[in-house]
Amino acid sequence: MMNPPAPSNKVSAWGQWRSVKPVVRCPDDVLAELLDGGQAFRWNRVDGVWRGVWGNYIAELTSQNDVVQWRAPVLIEDRVSRDISTYLGPDDVFADAWDALPHRSDPVLKAAMGQWPGLRLLRQPFAEAVLCFLCSSMKQITHIKQICETLALRFGAEIIPGVRALPSWSTLHRVSEGELRAAGLGYRARFIHGTSHFLAGQPGWLDVVEDLPYPEAKHRLMQLPGVGAKIADCALLFGAGKLEAFPVDTWIARVMTERYRLEGWSLEQIAHFGRAHYGQYAGLAQQYLFSSARRA
């Protein structure tokens, strides 16, 4: 297969800038962390604003006086307008979660929340989140972004001229493991290939999993090739809205061990502690801790 052309920074006929409705308030640095801090992998700075692709959408975002503004190509402006607020998570959706987290009694969490006012969780397409986090194993954010872009360029459907979506699982089912390895996936190609065949044999399986309660959804998701506890929790937190999910990677394990004196605890035990300590919005607390550890 021939190498695809490099992605272009030019997308013609953009609509007008407008505020996200209902309102989303994020200072510049918080918006950058939201879009480029490990929740999603297809946002980049272009000409001073954030340009990103999710599902079959493309938009640009910026923050003016801490209020998030957006615009989209005219060709898809109507559908972006309908769904961008759901994707970003408006303030009125997260207000209860911010209030319910135990920041009043937990100085570690209080300090993290103070660093990132307005940080929230993106609500991404679930099937896409499963794909992206399967690509993430043992990779840094920059590398994951490169893999996702290559997958989109080689196998994804065109959204508008010059911009492609990530490939669907049904499309990946028709791609060989060798082609996936050539796209930079390495050993992860085996998991992507195996998952695509699993899902091809069980249409609607991911839709069912997305609607299940968190414990059962996690158990089911870990049946997929290459999906361990951390990948399952990431996909469920950022793609299925399971806010009690508490992904534990090396960053979180270090923070929890040092700040909560959990020396000698396994990753599974740390995850259980996180869910018990932070409650039904544990995944939001995790994101605050993760972002603070990255800043430090």
Side-chain angles (χ1 to χ4, degrees):
M1 178 178 291
M2 294 179 61
N3 290 329
S8 171
N9 283 340
K10 295 182 179 179
V11 177
S12 60
W14 286 90
Q16 297 297 310
W17 287 100
R18 66 187 81 176
S19 298
V20 177
K21 300 293 184 183
V23 69
V24 173
R25 292 183 178 87
C26 279
D28 287 334
D29 61 334
V30 179
L31 181 62
E33 181 66 16
L34 175 67
L35 302 176
D36 202 34
Q39 294 192 42
F41 303 102
R42 299 202 67 198
W43 287 92
N44 295 286
R45 283 274 195 187
V46 179
D47 298 329
V49 300
W50 288 99
R51 180 178 296 175
V53 182
W54 73 100
N56 65 342
Y57 308 93
I58 175 173
E60 288 186 343
L61 299 177
T62 189
S63 180
Q64 296 290 334
N65 298 318
D66 295 346
V67 175
V68 177
Q69 312 284 315
W70 72 276
R71 69 174 184 173
V74 173
L75 285 172
I76 61 170
E77 194 172 27
D78 287 347
R79 73 168 182 255
V80 175
S81 178
R82 288 193 301 268
D83 295 329
I84 192 167
S85 180
T86 299
Y87 174 73
L88 292 173
D91 288 9
D92 58 6
V93 169
F94 279 96
D96 288 344
W98 290 325
D99 184 64
L101 287 173
H103 55 86
R104 297 173 183 86
S105 58
D106 184 333
V108 175
L109 179 61
K110 180 179 180 179
M113 293 180 69
Q115 283 187 304
W116 299 104
L119 187 64
R120 63 204 68 213
L121 301 171
L122 300 173
R123 180 62 185 270
Q124 302 167 59
F126 183 47
E128 188 169 290
V130 173
L131 173 61
C132 289
F133 285 104
L134 264 175
C135 294
S136 73
S137 176
M138 303 299 291
K139 285 288 187 182
Q140 295 181 349
I141 291 173
T142 300
H143 300 144
I144 305 166
K145 292 173 67 172
Q146 291 170 347
I147 291 172
C148 289
E149 188 62 30
T150 301
L151 287 175
L153 288 170
R154 295 193 179 190
F155 311 119
E158 190 172 72
I159 302 173
I160 60 173
V163 180
R164 292 183 175 274
L166 282 167
S168 67
W169 283 106
S170 60
T171 296
L172 289 170
H173 179 238
R174 301 190 295 271
V175 177
S176 71
E177 184 177 335
E179 289 175 301
L180 292 172
R181 286 183 177 274
L185 281 166
Y187 72 86
R188 300 159 202 82
R190 174 165 52 92
F191 301 141
I192 302 293
H193 189 255
T195 293
S196 71
H197 282 260
F198 178 97
L199 296 176
Q202 302 191 60
W205 190 86
L206 282 177
D207 294 331
V208 172
V209 171
E210 184 175 4
D211 290 337
L212 291 173
Y214 164 71
E216 188 176 352
K218 182 176 180 178
H219 174 75
R220 294 281 294 275
L221 201 57
M222 288 174 65
Q223 296 175 19
L224 296 177
V227 176
K230 182 250 184 180
I231 289 176
D233 274 335
C234 285
L236 291 169
L237 180 60
F238 303 123
K242 310 296 185 189
L243 301 188
E244 64 268 54
F246 192 82
V248 178
D249 64 356
T250 54
W251 292 91
I252 292 299
R254 185 180 303 121
V255 169
M256 301 299 286
T257 297
E258 293 176 355
R259 305 306 299 274
Y260 293 92
R261 300 180 180 179
L262 305 183
E263 292 85 357
W265 288 42
S266 69
L267 298 183
E268 181 179 355
Q269 289 171 325
I270 292 173
H272 180 78
F273 173 88
R275 291 192 297 271
H277 178 66
Y278 298 117
Q280 61 179 320
Y281 302 115
L284 181 58
Q286 187 268 5
Q287 193 61 29
Y288 279 111
L289 298 174
F290 179 80
S291 297
S292 294
R294 276 174 25 92
R295 174 173 279 184

